[in-house]
Amino acid sequence: MATTRNAATIWGGAVLGGLAAALLTGLLALAEPLLGIPFLPFAIFDWMARVLPGGLIRFVIENMVAIIQFVQRIVPIGDTSTAAKLAEQVIAIVQFLGLGAVLGALLAGLPRRQSLRSYGLAAGLLLLALTLVIHTQLGIAAGLGSLVLGLLYLAWGWGLARLVEAYQQRASDATPGQLDRRQFLAVSGAGLAIGALGAWGASRLFAAQAMPPRSASTPVPLNPDDPFGARLTSGPAASPSPEVLAARPAAVRGTRPELTDNADFYRIDINTRPPQIDAATWRLQIAGMVNTPLTFTLAELQQMPAQTQIVTMQCISNTVGGDLTSSSRWTGVRFKDVLARAGVQAGAAGAYITSADGFYEFVTQADIEDERTLLVYAMNGGPLVYEHGFPLRVYIPNRYGMKQPKWIERIELVPERLDGYWVERGWDREAFAHTVSVIDTVVVDPDVGAAGQATCGGIAWAGDRGIGRVEVKVDEGQWQAAELLAPPLSALNWILWRYHFPYAMGRHVLQVRAYDRAGQPQETRNAPPAPSGATGIHQVVVTL
């Protein structure tokens, strides 16, 4: 019976620990906007993403994407990147509650004759030490907030120990028949108060998360006769004229837009939340193998000759047919022009870029010299939103997103090639974009009828190599050429395609493949995203 009672006491302590952690979570959520203290559960999660082994990180990413895409087929949960960020935040909070539960169980497992409050205070001090280590590694400055956190953690540890002591006393005084009821009443009473406060604070945090990102200016309104802003583009990847674009065939209903709205642009990075950077105090440093180290403000970069181009960006974690890919009209200054101000010394292998969130990547000298490589500060006619790199990010043609840092703060010219954040974790060093093609939609033409024609449509992309041909296969038929909605918005953007085919009512399997402009076919071998990007043929099964 004593063993049963001890086990019940430990479980009760775990519940109290989880509830106390919920209260602390709520208080930390309130402290963030009031005192500017980063929300600890998210900071712990971000820190773990930086220190855990690369193989484990890859495993988690691959399985998270697979789970989200499986759920998407059953329940509409939104796009993959948004669902992934929400999952990260939920995991971070659950993980924090779990740590509290473990501490509560450990305290409850100690002999009753010991005073637990000293252990609780020690736990508070350990949490403070962990917080300071995490803040240091994440580049968060210590200040008055650290003192507030220390007092809060000590109060939390002492309070949890006091609750567990009282609970131990109740459990030891109870008769075997009364123990469960008293446990229930004690835990439930504390749970209603503590859990309600914690949930209220956490809800304030998520409400703040749902607010739209702050913007530094209003997007440039587009001319109705130029809906894509083609006349605003420039440079070697400038768009065709609005007149040429307007003369193209219509896209199939249900095909994704050629230009992605900012709110729908995918977001993958190493943060539960994007850094919030003040443009007034932000500076870009140019250092290393340059004749004159320089520092630029955002206004100084914006005063340099600008270039605007419409581009497709894709995450290397994107699966075949996945939605981790977007298109945007980006404006910035050519990378080479900025470095020319500083004077790159002979022998420099390239630029090592570091960002405000601790991310880092290497850009080769060949990519720097590419006329289309930009330091980007505007997106679809307005400033970069915080999620996508405000105030500055880089764009490099023909590379996956892992090679293109956001929230840039420093560019250092170095004598030898260095590995970037994801390369160190096992991803491809070059991250060249594969040729891909996707079926977005299959519709029946209502004017033709059930025994007439159906139409499918989608996109194809080959980095800066362009798309020369798209082919579609229906069931066991032959590959047939699809119609390209040419020209694309730019040589760096995906191209839309459509294909009409006769059909009989029933189940059909459609497949698509693409060739780049040089006639090279896309890789048909099925391969996972890691380490070099997914390959394979996209297919859909429909019932018409």
Side-chain angles (χ1 to χ4, degrees), residues 359-541:
F359 189 81
Y360 48 91
E361 188 49 78
F362 180 85
V363 181
T364 67
Q365 198 64 35
D367 281 335
I368 291 172
E369 292 298 322
D370 192 315
E371 299 278 339
R372 304 160 301 176
T373 299
L374 303 180
L375 294 177
V376 177
Y377 51 74
M379 180 178 187
N380 285 337
L384 283 171
V385 291
Y386 284 93
E387 287 87 345
H388 302 300
F390 180 86
L392 195 72
R393 68 168 300 157
V394 68
Y395 167 73
I396 306 169
N398 205 40
R399 307 269 187 169
Y400 285 117
M402 61 165 273
K403 299 292 289 185
Q404 317 208 29
K406 300 180 277 191
W407 309 294
I408 294 173
E409 289 188 329
R410 179 180 172 87
I411 299 173
E412 181 180 1
L413 278 296
V414 293
E416 60 182 0
R417 182 161 187 173
L418 302 174
D419 287 337
Y421 179 94
W422 288 116
V423 177
E424 289 182 348
R425 287 155 178 78
W427 294 85
D428 190 271
R429 201 180 200 202
E430 302 298 339
F432 287 126
H434 295 297
T435 300
V436 295
S437 53
V438 181
I439 300 170
D440 283 337
T441 183
V442 182
V443 297
V444 174
D445 187 342
D447 296 328
V448 177
Q453 280 198 330
T455 305
C456 60
I459 61 104
W461 180 63
D464 67 349
R465 303 180 301 281
I467 294 294
R469 185 163 88 252
V470 171
E471 295 178 339
V472 176
K473 182 179 180 180
V474 181
D475 298 324
E476 299 303 319
Q478 300 296 312
W479 288 100
Q480 301 292 334
E483 181 182 13
L484 299 179
L485 277 59
L489 288 185
S490 88
L492 299 174
N493 204 51
W494 59 42
I495 191 169
L496 273 57
W497 58 266
R498 67 182 189 181
Y499 176 69
H500 304 285
F501 62 97
Y503 77 98
M505 295 181 66
R507 180 180 180 274
H508 299 278
V509 178
L510 282 71
Q511 301 178 71
V512 64
R513 68 184 184 188
Y515 298 75
D516 65 23
R517 281 197 303 265
Q520 293 297 314
Q522 74 177 80
E523 175 62 66
T524 59
R525 175 181 58 90
N526 290 324
S532 303
T535 60
I537 294 293
H538 185 231
Q539 74 170 32
V540 298
V541 179

Side-chain angles (χ1 to χ4, degrees), residues 168-524:
Q168 283 182 328
Q169 180 65 45
R170 284 175 177 268
S172 64
D173 292 344
T175 63
Q178 296 172 316
L179 185 57
D180 289 341
R181 290 195 300 273
R182 292 193 177 185
Q183 284 180 320
F184 177 78
L185 292 174
V187 173
S188 297
L192 287 174
I194 296 174
L197 286 172
W200 178 73
S203 69
R204 293 290 301 272
L205 175 75
F206 281 100
Q209 289 285 57
M211 295 295 289
R214 292 181 289 150
S215 179
S217 68
T218 303
V220 177
L222 298 181
N223 187 327
D225 296 327
D226 185 12
F228 300 112
R231 287 197 174 96
L232 300 176
T233 62
S234 56
S239 299
S241 70
E243 293 75 19
V244 169
L245 294 175
R248 299 175 302 169
V252 182
R253 174 170 45 89
T255 304
R256 73 191 69 187
E258 282 188 276
L259 204 58
T260 308
D261 186 84
N262 286 359
D264 297 326
F265 199 99
Y266 86 90
R267 175 197 160 206
I268 297 293
D269 50 59
I270 61 174
N271 314 287
T272 49
R273 295 178 296 176
Q276 302 286 299
I277 298 174
D278 184 358
T281 58
W282 173 88
R283 298 293 183 271
L284 173 67
Q285 296 181 337
I286 309 295
M289 297 180 64
V290 294
N291 297 328
T292 308
L294 295 175
T295 300
F296 291 91
T297 65
L298 181 59
E300 288 171 338
L301 292 173
Q302 291 171 334
Q303 290 166 4
M304 295 180 65
Q307 185 167 298
T308 298
Q309 53 199 19
I310 296 175
V311 306
T312 291
M313 179 76 74
Q314 186 169 115
C315 180
I316 198 170
S317 295
N318 197 40
T319 56
V320 173
D323 60 4
L324 297 178
T325 181
S326 301
S327 166
S328 187
R329 181 164 41 86
W330 280 354
T331 300
V333 58
R334 293 189 304 181
F335 200 148
K336 59 185 274 185
D337 291 348
V338 174
L339 294 188
R341 296 278 185 100
V344 179
Q345 296 176 359
Y352 187 70
I353 298 179
T354 51
S355 301
D357 62 340
F359 189 81
Y360 48 91
E361 188 49 78
F362 180 85
V363 181
T364 67
Q365 198 64 35
D367 281 335
I368 291 172
E369 292 298 322
D370 192 315
E371 299 278 339
R372 304 160 301 176
T373 299
L374 303 180
L375 294 177
V376 177
Y377 51 74
M379 180 178 187
N380 285 337
L384 283 171
V385 291
Y386 284 93
E387 287 87 345
H388 302 300
F390 180 86
L392 195 72
R393 68 168 300 157
V394 68
Y395 167 73
I396 306 169
N398 205 40
R399 307 269 187 169
Y400 285 117
M402 61 165 273
K403 299 292 289 185
Q404 317 208 29
K406 300 180 277 191
W407 309 294
I408 294 173
E409 289 188 329
R410 179 180 172 87
I411 299 173
E412 181 180 1
L413 278 296
V414 293
E416 60 182 0
R417 182 161 187 173
L418 302 174
D419 287 337
Y421 179 94
W422 288 116
V423 177
E424 289 182 348
R425 287 155 178 78
W427 294 85
D428 190 271
R429 201 180 200 202
E430 302 298 339
F432 287 126
H434 295 297
T435 300
V436 295
S437 53
V438 181
I439 300 170
D440 283 337
T441 183
V442 182
V443 297
V444 174
D445 187 342
D447 296 328
V448 177
Q453 280 198 330
T455 305
C456 60
I459 61 104
W461 180 63
D464 67 349
R465 303 180 301 281
I467 294 294
R469 185 163 88 252
V470 171
E471 295 178 339
V472 176
K473 182 179 180 180
V474 181
D475 298 324
E476 299 303 319
Q478 300 296 312
W479 288 100
Q480 301 292 334
E483 181 182 13
L484 299 179
L485 277 59
L489 288 185
S490 88
L492 299 174
N493 204 51
W494 59 42
I495 191 169
L496 273 57
W497 58 266
R498 67 182 189 181
Y499 176 69
H500 304 285
F501 62 97
Y503 77 98
M505 295 181 66
R507 180 180 180 274
H508 299 278
V509 178
L510 282 71
Q511 301 178 71
V512 64
R513 68 184 184 188
Y515 298 75
D516 65 23
R517 281 197 303 265
Q520 293 297 314
Q522 74 177 80
E523 175 62 66
T524 59

